[in-house]
């Protein structure tokens, strides 16, 4: 991992941010269109459930439950279509930073 990439990763680690949290921030800041229906629906389910201060409901299908716990984005996943070119570049850069760190 290069110096600049190492600094970016250190900032993420300082705040206990994994790739998914960083990806969500990038997707929010650089959003150019509507989110995927899956993301909006999951958010609605979780918002209703959060008021009870419980973990995500275990009746969700496994794939959706994992997204509820770990976030919609992962290092191996696709770059969102609904973000700006700058956002896509940043998303890819952070994917490389986190991928390089995981391979060490």
């Amino acid at each position: 991992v290069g110096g600049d990439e190492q600094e970016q990763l250190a900032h993420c680690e300082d705040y206990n941010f994994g790739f998914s949290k960083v990806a969500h921030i990038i997707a929010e800041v650089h959003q150019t269109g509507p989110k995927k229906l899956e993301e909006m629906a999951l958010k609605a389910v979780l918002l209703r459930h959060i008021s009870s201060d419980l973990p995500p409901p275990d009746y969700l299908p496994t794939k959706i439950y994992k997204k509820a716990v770990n976030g919609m984005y992962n290092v191996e996943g696709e770059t969102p279509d609904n973000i700006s070119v700058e956002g896509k570049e940043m998303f890819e850069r952070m994917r490389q930073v986190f991928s390089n760190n995981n391979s060490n």
Side-chain angles (χ1 to χ4, degrees):
V1 180
D4 190 38
E5 290 176 346
Q6 191 63 39
E7 186 176 322
Q8 290 172 340
L9 188 60
H11 286 300
C12 293
E13 289 173 349
D14 286 345
Y15 294 100
N16 196 27
F17 275 22
F19 177 78
S20 184
K21 285 186 181 178
V22 171
H24 276 278
I25 292 169
I26 293 169
E28 287 296 323
V29 171
H30 296 280
Q31 187 173 342
T32 59
K35 295 177 183 183
K36 290 172 53 176
L37 181 57
E38 177 186 30
E39 186 173 354
M40 292 187 299
L42 181 57
K43 184 175 181 177
V45 168
L46 293 176
L47 284 174
R48 296 190 99 201
H49 193 73
I50 285 175
S51 62
S52 62
D53 204 26
L54 297 171
D58 58 4
Y59 58 80
L60 292 172
T62 303
K63 184 177 180 180
I64 302 299
Y65 182 83
K66 286 181 179 179
K67 288 183 179 186
V69 172
N70 302 317
M72 295 294 295
Y73 305 111
N74 64 61
V75 173
E76 294 85 24
E78 296 179 14
T79 301
D81 290 330
N82 65 330
I83 60 175
S84 67
V85 172
E86 181 183 2
K88 289 179 182 184
E89 290 169 358
M90 187 176 296
F91 195 95
E92 288 301 322
R93 223 174 19 252
M94 293 311 294
R95 182 194 317 269
Q96 288 177 333
V97 167
F98 279 88
S99 294
N100 290 340
N101 186 55
N102 290 336
S103 65
N104 291 334

